[in-house]
């Protein structure tokens, strides 16, 4: 249990740093803090599950393709604006967010809990903590808790953190790129360029 407590303390410190520290440090913080969690916990992370990772990426890409066909989906995606969307999707999301969150929740914490209590408990606890991680946005908590369940199940069936990492990255990264494309092309409602 002391290892889990140390892991949770490191995670809490990273969360505070993410909100209080300089944004330019985040792409370094994620990988360094992830490495620290692995070192402190002694957990060996597996990157097996290439087929699951490819399947997750293809499903997420298809999902965004379907959303882009629906006017309400296009409006929802176009509602957010991102500075430097390509850099954010390809560098910021994986380095500042996904690496740390997947190593922390589906890698280290999931493995520590599963060792003592099984995959079901590991999935439930890490999903709830993943949802709470996204406070203070209450609307995001329920969604990210459910996403945490899906990512944890993917971790369990694939046997590693690669598939959850790829799913998480494609969900966030493709969302940013789709939003930027819609805003730039003006295809928010009808599927064609805005006439305004």
């Amino acid at each position: 249990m002391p290892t889990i407590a140390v892991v949770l303390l490191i995670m809490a410190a990273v969360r505070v740093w993410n909100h209080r520290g300089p944004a330019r440090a985040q792409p370094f913080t994620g990988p360094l803090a992830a490495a620290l969690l692995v070192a402190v916990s002694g957990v060996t992370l597996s990157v097996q599950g290439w087929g699951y990772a490819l399947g997750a990426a293809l499903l997420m890409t298809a999902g965004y393709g379907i959303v882009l066909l629906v006017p309400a989906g296009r409006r929802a995606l176009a509602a957010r604006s991102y500075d430097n969307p390509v850099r954010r999707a390809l560098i910021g999301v994986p380095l500042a967010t996904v690496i740390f969150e997947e190593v922390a929740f589906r890698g280290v914490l999931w493995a520590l809990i599963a060792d003592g209590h099984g995959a079901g408990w590991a999935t439930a606890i890490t999903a709830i903590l993943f949802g709470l991680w996204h406070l203070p946005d209450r609307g995001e908590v329920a969604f990210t808790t459910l996403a945490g369940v899906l990512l944890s199940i993917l971790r369990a069936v694939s046997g590693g953190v690669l598939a959850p990492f790829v799913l998480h990255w494609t969900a966030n990264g493709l969302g940013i790129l789709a939003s930027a494309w819609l805003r730039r092309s003006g295809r928010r409602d009808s599927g064609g360029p805005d006439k305004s």
Side-chain angles (χ1 to χ4, degrees), residues 153-174:
I153 290 170
L154 190 55
R155 191 266 191 241
V157 299
S158 70
V161 295
L162 179 64
F165 174 88
V166 168
L167 179 59
H168 193 163
W169 185 12
T170 55
N172 292 9
L174 286 179

Side-chain angles (χ1 to χ4, degrees), residues 100-161:
F100 179 76
E101 289 181 0
E102 291 311 315
V103 167
F105 290 100
R106 263 66 63 187
V108 171
L109 198 55
W110 194 92
L112 292 172
I113 296 168
D115 277 352
H117 304 287
W121 280 106
T123 296
I125 292 169
T126 58
I128 290 167
L129 291 174
F130 187 63
L132 293 173
W133 182 262
H134 292 84
L135 282 171
D137 186 344
R138 290 185 187 152
E140 239 182 83
V141 171
F143 176 78
T144 53
T145 299
L146 291 174
V149 170
L150 176 64
L151 291 165
S152 292
I153 290 170
L154 190 55
R155 191 266 191 241
V157 299
S158 70
V161 295

Side-chain angles (χ1 to χ4, degrees), residues 38-115:
V38 171
V40 165
S41 69
V43 169
T44 302
L45 298 180
S46 169
V47 290
Q48 64 188 28
W50 289 89
Y52 287 100
L54 179 60
L58 291 174
L59 281 173
M60 188 55 62
T61 303
Y64 274 110
I66 291 167
V67 168
L68 289 171
L69 294 174
V70 179
R74 287 192 298 275
R75 283 190 300 274
L77 279 174
R80 291 200 62 185
S81 177
Y82 299 92
D83 293 332
N84 303 307
V86 173
R87 187 178 82 213
R88 180 175 285 211
L90 299 180
I91 297 170
V93 167
L95 295 178
T97 304
V98 177
I99 286 177
F100 179 76
E101 289 181 0
E102 291 311 315
V103 167
F105 290 100
R106 263 66 63 187
V108 171
L109 198 55
W110 194 92
L112 292 172
I113 296 168
D115 277 352

